[in-house]
Amino acid sequence: FSNPTNATLCKGIAAATIINPFVTNVAPVVVLAAVAPCLTLPANLTLTVTATDPDGRISRVEFFNHTSLLGVQWDAPFEFTWLDVPAGQHLLTAVAVDNVGARATSAPVAFSASFPAALSIDDQTVVEGNSGTIDALFTLSLSSASCHTVTVEVATFDGTAWAGSDYLAVQANFIFLPGETQKTFAVPVL
């Protein structure tokens, strides 16, 4: 329609979808791009989907973490930026919906998100003997398990005790594999 009287034309055209009930609708194809398996927080994460429909068009893509809807993208490119991803284990999927309502779900994409762990070492008190050695056992600890490999270099230094006369100097590298939170090392006290 056009040229209305006493009205403003806001939308002069309309779209219609004709559905043939004798033709089977083919579901869309949807692929959610992989993400890094371990995300260090705080962070945002952009999710990217490739979605096609062999016998129609994609009307929307829905993004999920487990069963929680994160967002919807109505037009290509089908991307969604998840702001302030929370810590924990995540399982992402994308659902593509075509113009007739057929739905397809992507393969799941799993990843873990965590804040950097705080690293600490405990204090030790050892009574020095008159012969032989005794070990001062120290524990290195991460405040929480990390999904990343954490490395740290440890070295003794002189304060009130002196290397060579009171203890044997130690210098070592420690590796915390994902999930590990404690390592121990010994300093021989003379």
Side-chain angles (χ1 to χ4, degrees), residues 105-133:
T105 302
S106 69
V109 173
F111 75 97
S112 177
S114 63
F115 289 95
L119 180 65
S120 63
I121 186 170
D122 65 343
D123 294 324
Q124 291 297 319
T125 301
V126 175
V127 177
E128 189 175 358
N130 290 332
S131 64
T133 62

Side-chain angles (χ1 to χ4, degrees), residues 6-177:
N6 297 321
T8 301
L9 181 61
C10 294
K11 183 179 175 191
I13 60 171
T17 301
I18 300 172
I19 300 172
N20 184 341
F22 303 108
V23 176
T24 302
N25 182 36
V26 177
V29 176
V30 59
V31 177
L32 176 60
V35 299
C38 181
L39 183 64
T40 300
L41 301 176
N44 299 330
L45 180 63
T46 299
L47 306 175
T48 303
V49 165
T50 302
T52 57
D53 187 25
D55 62 351
R57 63 177 173 74
I58 301 297
S59 64
R60 70 182 181 274
V61 172
E62 303 165 344
F63 296 85
F64 290 89
N65 177 37
H66 296 280
T67 58
S68 298
L69 179 65
L70 297 174
V72 178
Q73 181 62 40
W74 299 92
D75 299 306
F78 298 109
E79 290 186 344
F80 173 77
T81 300
W82 187 7
L83 301 177
D84 298 321
V85 175
Q89 300 295 321
H90 300 283
L91 188 65
L92 304 175
T93 54
V95 176
V97 181
D98 73 8
N99 57 303
V100 183
R103 302 169 69 85
T105 302
S106 69
V109 173
F111 75 97
S112 177
S114 63
F115 289 95
L119 180 65
S120 63
I121 186 170
D122 65 343
D123 294 324
Q124 291 297 319
T125 301
V126 175
V127 177
E128 189 175 358
N130 290 332
S131 64
T133 62
I134 186 169
D135 286 339
L137 292 175
F138 291 88
T139 302
L140 294 169
S141 299
L142 292 177
S143 59
S144 61
S146 174
C147 57
H148 290 287
T149 297
V150 175
T151 61
V152 62
E153 184 176 320
V154 174
T156 56
F157 70 95
D158 293 342
T160 58
W162 297 92
S165 61
D166 295 312
Y167 68 94
L168 296 178
V170 173
Q171 184 171 0
N173 290 314
F174 289 91
I175 299 172
F176 291 84
L177 296 175

